Amino acid sequence: MNGSQWASGKLQVFETMESEVRSYIRSFPTKFRRASGYRMWDTEGKEYVDFFSGAGALNYGHNPPEMKRLLIQYLQEDGISHSLDMATEAKERFLLRFGETILRPRGLDYKVMFPGPTGANSVESALKLARKATGRQTVMSFTNAFHGMTLGALAVTGNKFKRKGAGVPLHHTVTFPYDGYMGPSVNTLTYIENFLEDSGSGISLPAAVILETLQGEGGLQAASGPWLRGLANLCKRHGILMIVDDVQMGCGRTGTFFSFEPFGMEPDIVCLSKSIGGYGLPMALTLLKPELDLWEPGEHNGTFRGNNLAFVAAAEALSYWENDRFAKAIARKGEQLRSALLSLADRFGGEVRGRGLMQGIALEPGLAEKVCAAAFERGLVIETSGTDSEVVKVMPPLVIDPEGLDEGLAILRSSMQQVVEAMGAAAIR
Ligand SMILES: *Cc1c(COP(=O)(O)O)cnc(C)c1O
């Protein structure tokens, strides 16, 4: 029996009942039952190493024990589950913890807004606020950016296929080349600067720029420190608000709580979601400079902003950030990952990209998907990134131990070997 027949038996309910829109089930065609830390098990008892972390929603791993204990306790005590934006103890605890472990030690002064519990919702709130605060309409975004699937977020997203899904024109945005987009010899910042400062460029002054410091879905292009600082400077000079979408790169993914910390920037607005809920529970935050807090009560609301189970787990998750041990461990594992990927690139070709525990290897067209499929067969959950799925993206839970990282990387290596050998055979024929 070949793989797809086997899969279609096991996944029949999904294939017959669920819309064709489903996607990750196609990359990982099995039925999962259980997970712990960086390991997952399917209904056949097959074990997997997780190098995907729920697209970045599981930075602290699957079912982290202390968060689980607190969630069970909260449920047993009939703690408030749903509260819109009413005051609850769980939300108060989260806010206090966020202030004392994240904002204060970094000298950051932000008001916290709870949009609906998704990244796209945080992005929508940021775009609305920037337009409201400046009275301008255009928002600058970047090539290969990904900001979510709602209309406002799609308008600042690069991917042609995803944009097309909107079905209406996506207006009031202007796309600029991200750092490195035009090759190593062109500083795209100069290009952007020329456009903004030339009265003949056809571009009106934007309300804001929205960007990821490292493009998670768009192919792991990382912006350099000088480029980011230069952009922040340019924004300041022209009164353009800077929105950093840290939905995927935040919560430690690149080694620091916020991805922009190493660059000495202070964005006007920051979007957080994915791992902010700690346990994979839906939650999102939009952080705004106090002077931008121009909202009228209820001007951007949503039914599920008060997901208290997420607040309980999120408050506990911040324990990882009480000192610098966690950040240091991420840096060490990031180095381990880097050298493993460099050795793969040495052996099989490809370009290593990314930082921290968000790194990958860009391969020839068509290869990365084959490698990820082969890896899944061997018990590794790993996805591609990039408009043409050209990057094998390594995104393990941040809590993975060095042995687990090695275990997954060994599977990745043998999968690449297998794919390259198969291609070689095809070429000889
Ligand atoms: C995942 C993601 C989003 C969208 O988040 P959803 O919760 O899927 O709406 C937005 N921006 C970035 C950078 C993301 O990675």
Side-chain angles (χ1 to χ4, degrees):
M1 204 188 270
N2 72 31
S4 65
Q5 281 170 325
W6 174 73
S8 71
K10 186 166 50 173
L11 298 176
Q12 201 181 2
V13 171
F14 307 91
E15 282 161 3
T16 55
M17 293 187 71
E18 200 182 344
S19 158
E20 291 302 317
V21 79
R22 66 197 189 280
S23 68
Y24 291 119
I25 187 179
R26 301 174 197 269
S27 307
F28 311 124
T30 191
K31 196 161 60 191
F32 290 104
R33 172 172 288 157
R34 218 162 62 72
S36 174
Y38 59 84
R39 293 190 192 277
M40 302 173 75
W41 292 271
D42 68 14
T43 48
E44 254 116 81
K46 183 172 169 186
E47 183 174 298
Y48 299 84
V49 169
D50 185 3
F51 267 15
F52 182 47
S53 305
L58 294 165
N59 281 5
Y60 308 102
H62 295 263
N63 301 311
E66 189 54 18
M67 289 183 222
K68 178 167 68 181
R69 192 184 68 75
L70 291 167
L71 287 169
I72 292 169
Q73 186 185 327
Y74 190 80
L75 285 168
Q76 264 171 346
E77 290 169 356
D78 282 338
I80 295 285
S81 160
H82 175 272
S83 61
L84 295 159
D85 64 4
M86 292 180 261
T88 64
E89 276 186 312
K91 185 171 178 179
E92 179 179 52
R93 176 148 192 275
F94 169 76
L95 280 169
L96 290 172
R97 298 270 296 148
F98 192 73
E100 88 207 1
T101 41
I102 303 299
L103 297 181
R104 203 160 322 133
R106 291 166 180 75
L108 293 171
D109 189 15
Y110 287 121
K111 295 270 278 233
V112 182
M113 166 183 182
F114 294 88
T118 66
N121 227 297
S122 175
V123 167
E124 294 289 345
S125 70
L127 297 174
K128 273 193 199 176
L129 183 61
R131 288 176 170 132
K132 181 180 163 84
T134 59
R136 299 176 218 138
Q137 294 182 330
T138 306
V139 173
M140 288 167 60
S141 58
F142 289 101
T143 48
N144 290 313
F146 179 74
H147 297 292
M149 299 299 272
T150 50
L151 289 185
L154 272 181
V156 286
T157 287
N159 188 298
K160 197 191 234 170
F161 167 72
K162 294 195 167 87
R163 289 179 68 92
K164 194 158 164 273
V168 293
L170 297 170
H171 280 161
H172 308 306
T173 57
V174 54
T175 309
F176 278 114
Y178 194 70
D179 192 15
Y181 185 76
M182 301 169 96
S185 59
V186 179
N187 183 356
T188 62
L189 192 62
T190 315
Y191 174 94
I192 297 166
E193 201 164 1
N194 289 348
F195 259 80
L196 289 181
E197 292 175 354
D198 173 16
S199 53
S201 69
I203 290 171
S204 53
L205 187 64
V209 56
I210 183 165
L211 78 156
E212 307 151 89
T213 65
L214 196 174
Q215 299 185 313
E217 299 297 313
L220 301 194
Q221 291 84 0
S224 73
W227 189 88
L228 287 167
R229 276 191 293 274
L231 183 66
N233 221 308
L234 185 64
C235 286
K236 196 158 282 170
R237 281 210 312 279
H238 291 275
I240 299 167
L241 299 176
M242 184 175 233
I243 305 168
V244 169
D245 177 350
D246 241 359
V247 167
Q248 190 166 151
M249 294 307 139
C251 304
R253 182 46 63 187
T254 64
T256 47
F257 185 83
F258 294 109
S259 72
F260 53 82
E261 282 175 51
F263 310 118
M265 317 152 55
E266 235 180 87
D268 299 290
I269 303 177
V270 182
C271 302
L272 284 178
S273 187
K274 294 212 162 102
S275 275
I276 190 66
Y279 204 78
L281 293 169
M283 179 171 164
L285 295 183
T286 310
L287 305 177
L288 29 130
K289 285 279 171 67
E291 63 271 22
L292 288 176
D293 194 11
L294 304 167
W295 292 113
E296 300 289 334
E299 201 177 351
H300 185 91
N301 62 12
T303 307
F304 288 108
R305 285 168 300 149
N307 180 4
N308 285 266
L309 285 174
F311 298 154
V312 168
E316 175 56 27
L318 297 176
S319 306
Y320 282 99
W321 300 97
E322 281 168 348
N323 54 49
D324 63 2
R325 277 209 299 275
F326 192 49
K328 282 188 170 147
I330 300 168
R332 276 196 302 277
K333 288 178 277 191
E335 289 296 317
Q336 181 187 349
L337 173 56
R338 188 93 190 162
S339 62
L341 291 178
L342 286 171
S343 135
L344 285 181
D346 217 39
R347 169 77 180 76
F348 303 107
E351 179 192 296
V352 178
R353 296 182 186 166
R355 344 186 239 127
L357 284 177
M358 172 59 86
Q359 299 189 55
I361 180 163
L363 301 172
E364 293 295 313
L367 268 185
E369 279 172 307
K370 288 201 179 87
V371 169
C372 290
F376 182 71
E377 287 282 314
R378 290 161 186 259
L380 180 67
V381 176
I382 187 166
E383 251 295 2
T384 62
S385 168
T387 306
D388 301 312
S389 305
E390 69 277 16
V391 181
V392 176
K393 170 170 157 179
V394 180
M395 189 169 41
L398 304 180
V399 295
I400 196 167
D401 51 41
E403 295 72 33
L405 195 52
D406 272 341
E407 186 181 333
L409 287 166
I411 298 175
L412 182 58
R413 190 175 185 95
S414 57
S415 308
M416 283 185 84
Q417 179 78 42
Q418 177 194 325
V419 168
V420 165
E421 273 168 15
M423 297 236 319
I428 290 163
R429 231 181 302 130

